[in-house]
């Protein structure tokens, strides 16, 4: 089983607005609303692969009720801690004409110490039954920056592997508990180190630093350029084929989901890295956040460029096999 933790759940609203920009009045052409926050996107993709998944985290108010009902309608099992505050709304404004994407993310509800303790108990129970626990996204207000560290320790004690996908101080503090895997994107990694990671050499050094902190798998995701995946023994770069990207919000979550599925199936590191990249790339081509068409994933798996960086070998390249 895979457990996904979303500390700051959300209703993800997508607005399609032509020629959007600051300081005007705009008519929204199309509205979509779905249960969101990174971990719920992970759960959606895991479910598409037919793996058993339980989504947990904090949920509250009218928005919380919408989130729980939509998850149930999608057939995703939820086991949440109910809080007194209101779950947030995250807005993604897609301008199909100007080809821009603007995100407005609410901070989320205030969570008390007692509510935090209840989530730890819940994770203890779920991690006992899980091979993998994913922990994704920002922390809700009121929680200390080291909250993920405590959750990771609880999951580790129950024998689960933890994938941590967060940013800023929550990532810095979370690393101290040595999660099995971390997956910052370029911006998050630069914020963590305070350095530019534009150069390949700097990216390689960053991953080495991550491994030195004690994580087993360090991933740096690079948007359309793919991802670097490093362990103590192996180092791969996976580049996806060019696709027409429609909505890239949630691509990182799809990456985490693909990796979690492969881990739960005991696949090799290379298979996990390829599956994660193919799933994430497929998700960029869909309007819905974390939508994933398995047939497209299978097709993309055959079109990935795979480099073994540690031996300077190109394993697969388009038109090479
Ligand atoms: N424009 C794109 N075209 C093809 N694949 C993409 C594109 N954007 C993202 N991806 C795929 O998604 C993966 C993760 O993307 P990215 O580095 O943008 O993650 P992220 O910033 O964490 O995403 P999120 O929006 O979920 O926070 C990439 O490694 C790649 O496989
Ligand atoms: O504020 P966080 O938790 O960092 O990110 C929230 C969020 O932007 O991430 C997902 C995309 O990855 C969206 O579904 C969601 O709204």
């Amino acid at each position: 089983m895979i457990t996904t933790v979303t500390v700051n759940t959300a209703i993800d609203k997508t607005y399609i607005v032509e020629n959007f920009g600051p300081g005007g009045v705009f008519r929204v052409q199309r509205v979509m609303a779905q249960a969101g926050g990174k971990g719920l996107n992970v759960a959606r993709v895991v479910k598409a692969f037919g793996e058993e998944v339980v989504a947990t985290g904090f949920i509250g108010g009218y928005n919380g009720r919408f989130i729980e009902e939509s998850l149930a309608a999608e057939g995703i099992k939820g086991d949440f801690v109910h809080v007194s505050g209101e779950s947030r709304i995250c807005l993604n404004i897609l301008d199909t004409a100007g080809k821009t994407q603007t995100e407005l993310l609410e901070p989320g509800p205030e969570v008390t110490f007692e509510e935090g303790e209840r989530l730890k108990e819940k994770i203890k129970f779920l991690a006992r039954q899980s091979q993998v626990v994913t922990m994704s996204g920002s922390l809700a207000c009121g929680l200390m920056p080291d909250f993920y560290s405590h959750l990771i320790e609880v999951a580790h004690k129950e024998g689960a592997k933890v994938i941590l996908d967060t940013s800023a101080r929550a990532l810095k503090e979370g690393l101290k508990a040595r999660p099995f895997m971390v997956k910052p994107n370029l911006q998050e990694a630069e914020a963590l180190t305070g350095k530019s990671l534009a150069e390949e050499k700097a990216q390689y050094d960053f991953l080495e630093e991550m491994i030195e902190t004690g994580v087993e798998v360090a991933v740096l995701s690079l948007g359309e350029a793919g991802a670097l995946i490093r362990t103590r023994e192996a180092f791969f770069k996976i580049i996806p084929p060019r696709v027409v990207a429609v909505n890239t919000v949630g691509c990182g979550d799809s990456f985490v989901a693909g990796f979690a599925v492969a881990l739960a199936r005991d696949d090799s590191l290379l298979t996990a890295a390829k599956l994660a990249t193919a799933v994430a790339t497929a998700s960029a081509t869909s309007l819905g956040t974390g939508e994933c068409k398995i047939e497209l994933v299978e097709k993309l798996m055959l079109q990935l460029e795979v480099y073994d960086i540690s031996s300077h070998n190109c394993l697969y390249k388009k038109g090479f096999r």
Side-chain angles (χ1 to χ4, degrees), residues 83-118:
V83 296
S84 52
E86 181 77 33
S87 291
R88 64 185 173 152
I89 290 178
C90 290
L91 201 53
N92 174 17
I93 304 168
L94 287 180
D95 176 354
T96 38
K99 302 216 178 312
T100 63
Q101 193 169 304
T102 309
E103 286 181 75
L104 299 172
L105 312 178
E106 291 184 8
E110 190 80 25
V111 170
T112 65
F113 177 78
E114 289 70 29
E115 289 165 341
E117 291 302 299
R118 277 166 48 211

Side-chain angles (χ1 to χ4, degrees), residues 4 19 73 76 88 97 103 107 111 127 129 187-189 215 219 228 300 304 312:
T4 73
N19 300 313
I76 298 168
R88 64 185 173 152
E103 286 181 75
V111 170
Q129 308 157 60
Q187 226 182 357
E188 291 160 348
V215 305
V219 174
L228 290 164
L300 289 169
L304 301 169
H312 307 285

Side-chain angles (χ1 to χ4, degrees), residues 38 183 185 221-224 226-227 243 245 248-253 277 280-281:
K38 296 186 189 302
K183 188 223 73 67
N185 62 24
S221 67
L222 303 165
E224 65 182 342
V243 294
T248 60
V249 172
C251 281
D253 309 331
T277 309
T281 306

